[in-house]
């Protein structure tokens, strides 16, 4: 079917009419690369993870190269078209969709090229974490990525990025070697510490504010293919003892072990005893990528009587996918996060008081994802990500089914719990966990001392704010 002319949303709130010739410039013949709502592939191209913020563009373009992206960016800039970029569609704020506008779906750009001798990987911007892990683990190497394999590499990385290897090697952006990007002027640029260094600085945490990334180059590390990981959980009645142990344990733990402490209702998973389904538990996520897991985990496994313990030797790629089932596409998600400088007794008490009042069995409180280590050794201004004083990430994660009549209660629980723990924050928060109702001040708070410099970089590379469907950093002036 030949695609006809179409009207799309403009950046000024009005409409922009695209002619047949305009569409042909984007590959408008019936080749599956330019999609409208009635076309095959539309639903897949516009499906995003968080149903709460699902929005529809008028047009989707699937580029296959940086040149394709550049053509789309030039058209959007010239015609004032509202533009967005979808990498994996896993962003909680729904910023991968331009409502009524043009969305670039990067899913055709999923090449991963690994150079094991050099210890680097070139990663297409449409890749999910699982694509990178599969390619790098063939060589016993890994990039510092997140902990849900369906997450898009681009969104994770541009927001700073953290995961099971962060304690050893820093934020995801700390191991970036170079980025290929199309900026608002339609130019294809390479940014690194030596080339376009200010752009490289801004991209290392500044989100999608500066252009459309087409390729990342990551430094890789020797990890896997086998690690020790999994889950261990105790009754919530033992929460005080578990949290005290966790605090002491993480203060001295080897950087080869990363743990996260979660308070939630036990899910109906096969490894959870049936009599515990739906009952409150305190669970610890474990990933040990070093040489002595048994010794390092002894303090954890010697505590109390676990409800279940499924920590075992496994492929690193399996660990990366372990939590996927807890975050399926199509549910409603609402998160709030804070960086923590410590896991203090007062914080633990406050967190627990609110965590056990959750209103949805799908919701959970991440009392602490331990990230302290390598990231703290760099200067605060080494990349826009900043937050080099963070030791833990706390996240209040509400989740419920679409159509749930208690939606407002679930939102209220998340907001109330977050407000209670905010006094214990470093003052920073993780920009990738920001939601639809977080304002500009909240975004500025994610960058703290680096925000003004980010604004200056925005003014230099995107002075007209073409890239605004994101956690937006407006240019100064």
């Amino acid at each position: 079917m030949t695609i006809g002319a179409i009207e799309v949303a403009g950046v000024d709130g009005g409409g922009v009419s695209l002619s047949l010739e305009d569409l042909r410039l984007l590959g408008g013949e019936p080749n599956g690369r330019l999609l409208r709502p009635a076309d095959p592939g539309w639903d897949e191209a516009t499906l995003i993870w968080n149903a709460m913020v699902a929005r529809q563009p008028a047009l989707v373009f699937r580029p296959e190269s940086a040149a394709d992206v550049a053509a789309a960016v030039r058209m959007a800039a010239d015609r004032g078209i509202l533009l967005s970029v979808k990498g994996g569609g896993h962003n909680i704020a729904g910023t991968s969709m331009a409502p009524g506008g043009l969305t670039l779906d990067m899913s055709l750009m999923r090449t991963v090229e690994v150079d094991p001798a050099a210890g680097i990987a070139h990663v297409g911007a449409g890749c999910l974490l699982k694509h990178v892990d599969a390619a790098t683990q063939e060589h016993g190497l890994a990039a510092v990525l997140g902990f849900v394999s369906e997450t898009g590499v681009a969104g994770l990385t541009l927001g700073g990025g953290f995961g099971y290897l962060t304690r050893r090697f820093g934020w995801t952006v700390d191991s970036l070697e170079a980025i290929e990007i199309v900026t608002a002027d339609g130019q294809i640029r390479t940014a690194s510490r030596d080339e376009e260094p200010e752009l490289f600085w801004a991209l290392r945490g500044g989100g999608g504010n500066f252009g459309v990334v087409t390729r990342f180059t990551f430094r890789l590390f020797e990890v896997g293919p086998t690690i020790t990981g999994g889950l261990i959980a105790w009754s919530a009645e033992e929460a005080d003892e578990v949290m005290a142990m966790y605090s002491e344990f993480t203060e001295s733990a080897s950087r080869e072990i990363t743990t996260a402490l979660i308070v939630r209702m036990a899910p109906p998973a096969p490894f959870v005893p049936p009599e515990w389904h739906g009952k409150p538990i305190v669970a610890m996520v474990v990933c040990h990528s070093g040489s002595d897991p048994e010794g390092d985990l002894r303090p954890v496994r010697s505590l109390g009587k676990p409800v279940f313990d499924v920590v075992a030797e496994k492929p690193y790629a399996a660990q990366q996918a372990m939590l996927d089932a807890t975050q399926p596409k199509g549910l409603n998600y609402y998160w709030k996060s804070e960086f923590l400088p410590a896991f203090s007794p007062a914080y633990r008490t406050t967190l627990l008081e609110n965590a056990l009042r959750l209103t949805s069995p799908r919701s959970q409180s991440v009392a602490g994802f331990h990230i302290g280590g390598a990231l703290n050794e760099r200067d605060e201004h080494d990349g826009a990500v900043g937050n080099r004083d963070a030791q833990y990430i706390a996240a209040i994660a509400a989740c419920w089914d679409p159509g749930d009549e208690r939606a407002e209660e679930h939102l209220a629980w998340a907001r109330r719990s977050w407000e209670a723990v905010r006094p214990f924050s470093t003052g920073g928060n993780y920009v990738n966990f920001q939601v639809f109702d977080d304002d500009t001040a909240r975004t500025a708070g994610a960058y703290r001392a680096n925000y003004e410099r980010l604004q200056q970089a925005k003014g230099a590379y995107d002075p007209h704010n073409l890239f605004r469907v994101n956690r937006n950093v407006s240019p100064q002036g």
Side-chain angles (χ1 to χ4, degrees):
M1 177 180 71
T2 300
I3 299 177
I6 186 172
E7 183 154 312
V8 300
V11 294
D12 60 0
V16 178
S17 181
L18 297 181
S19 68
L20 182 60
E21 185 58 31
D22 291 329
L23 298 175
R24 282 177 175 153
L25 291 174
L26 290 179
E29 295 306 313
N31 55 14
R33 295 178 59 215
L34 189 61
L35 303 174
R36 296 204 318 192
D39 293 336
W42 175 265
D43 290 343
E44 177 186 358
T46 57
L47 176 65
I48 62 172
W49 169 66
N50 187 4
M52 189 177 184
V53 290
R55 298 175 291 183
Q56 291 285 295
L59 195 64
V60 171
F61 178 52
R62 289 173 158 172
E64 294 181 336
S65 66
D68 285 347
V69 172
V73 169
R74 284 193 293 268
M75 176 179 289
D78 291 345
R79 303 296 301 277
I81 297 168
L82 188 66
L83 180 68
S84 71
V85 185
K86 179 191 176 188
H90 204 269
N91 179 274
I92 193 167
T95 55
S96 57
M97 292 292 128
L102 169 64
T103 290
L104 303 187
D105 171 16
M106 307 297 285
S107 61
L108 299 184
M109 299 180 68
R110 286 184 169 169
T111 300
V112 181
E113 299 174 357
V114 179
D115 183 340
I120 61 172
H122 302 291
V123 177
C127 286
L128 307 181
L129 269 56
K130 63 184 179 182
H131 301 134
V132 181
D133 289 331
T136 58
Q137 283 293 282
E138 289 184 10
H139 308 281
L141 299 170
V144 180
L145 297 174
F147 49 90
V148 174
S149 75
E150 294 289 330
T151 303
V153 171
L156 171 93
T157 302
L158 293 174
F162 75 94
Y164 295 124
L165 302 181
T166 292
R167 296 198 63 231
R168 295 181 66 182
F169 308 116
W171 298 119
T172 298
V173 294
D174 290 344
S175 57
L176 268 177
E177 295 289 326
I179 296 177
E180 182 183 78
I181 183 172
V182 177
T183 47
D185 56 6
Q187 290 192 47
I188 302 171
R189 304 172 187 260
T190 298
S192 68
R193 289 186 181 271
D194 298 322
E195 188 175 0
E196 302 271 11
E198 189 65 11
L199 178 59
F200 188 62
W201 176 88
L203 290 168
R204 294 175 59 233
N209 278 282
F210 303 94
V212 183
V213 172
T214 52
R215 187 177 68 180
F216 298 92
T217 300
F218 291 103
R219 184 166 64 255
L220 304 176
F221 303 94
E222 292 185 5
V223 173
T226 300
I227 55 89
T228 295
L231 288 163
I232 182 170
W234 301 264
S235 167
E237 293 181 354
E238 298 182 64
D240 288 338
E241 292 83 359
V242 173
M243 286 189 168
M245 176 275 295
Y246 185 73
S247 178
E248 182 177 351
F249 175 72
T250 53
E251 284 181 3
S252 59
S254 160
R255 290 188 184 180
E256 295 177 327
I257 182 168
T258 293
T259 51
L261 198 64
I262 297 170
V263 182
R264 62 164 300 160
M265 299 299 181
F271 56 82
V272 179
E275 65 272 19
W276 275 95
H277 291 181
K279 293 184 178 179
I281 58 171
V282 180
M284 188 180 295
V285 181
V286 173
C287 180
H288 194 294
S289 56
S291 58
D292 185 23
E294 183 176 347
D296 286 343
L297 285 170
R298 193 169 292 118
V300 175
R301 295 184 123 161
S302 63
L303 179 69
K305 184 179 180 181
V307 173
F308 59 83
D309 181 348
V310 290
V311 176
E313 192 173 275
K314 63 168 65 174
Y316 176 68
Q319 175 75 14
Q320 287 285 84
M322 180 181 70
L323 298 179
D324 287 5
T326 69
Q327 298 189 25
K329 289 182 179 179
L331 299 182
N332 288 341
Y333 296 92
Y334 185 87
W335 294 354
K336 291 288 190 179
S337 74
E338 296 292 332
F339 290 125
L340 303 178
F343 203 72
S344 68
Y347 164 75
R348 285 151 24 202
T349 299
T350 301
L351 183 284
L352 192 60
E353 286 176 352
N354 289 276
L356 293 176
R357 295 172 183 166
L358 55 82
T359 56
S360 167
R362 295 184 180 275
S363 296
Q364 60 184 3
S365 294
V366 181
F369 193 114
H370 192 204
I371 57 173
L375 72 86
N376 308 119
E377 295 173 347
R378 291 174 179 250
D379 185 82
E380 177 71 11
H381 305 294
D382 185 1
V385 61
N387 291 291
R388 300 291 178 177
D389 53 352
Q391 292 291 326
Y392 305 85
I393 294 177
I396 309 301
C399 175
W400 64 96
D401 295 310
D404 188 330
E405 295 180 354
R406 300 182 65 195
E408 289 302 319
E409 293 180 50
H410 307 325
L411 285 169
W413 169 80
R415 291 167 178 153
R416 183 174 59 250
S417 299
W418 167 62
E419 289 288 359
V421 301
R422 284 187 79 183
F424 303 96
S425 172
T426 61
N429 68 89
Y430 186 43
V431 72
N432 279 347
F433 285 178
Q434 290 188 4
V435 287
F436 68 93
D437 60 355
D438 281 318
D439 58 15
T440 301
R442 181 74 171 157
T443 301
Y447 299 111
R448 301 160 75 191
N450 288 333
Y451 187 67
E452 185 175 339
R453 183 176 170 185
L454 263 181
Q455 287 183 297
Q456 293 170 353
K458 179 74 168 178
Y461 287 97
D462 185 17
H464 303 296
N465 203 16
L466 175 66
F467 301 106
R468 64 181 65 195
V469 185
N470 47 41
R471 301 310 305 169
N472 198 232
V473 176
S474 298
Q476 283 187 324

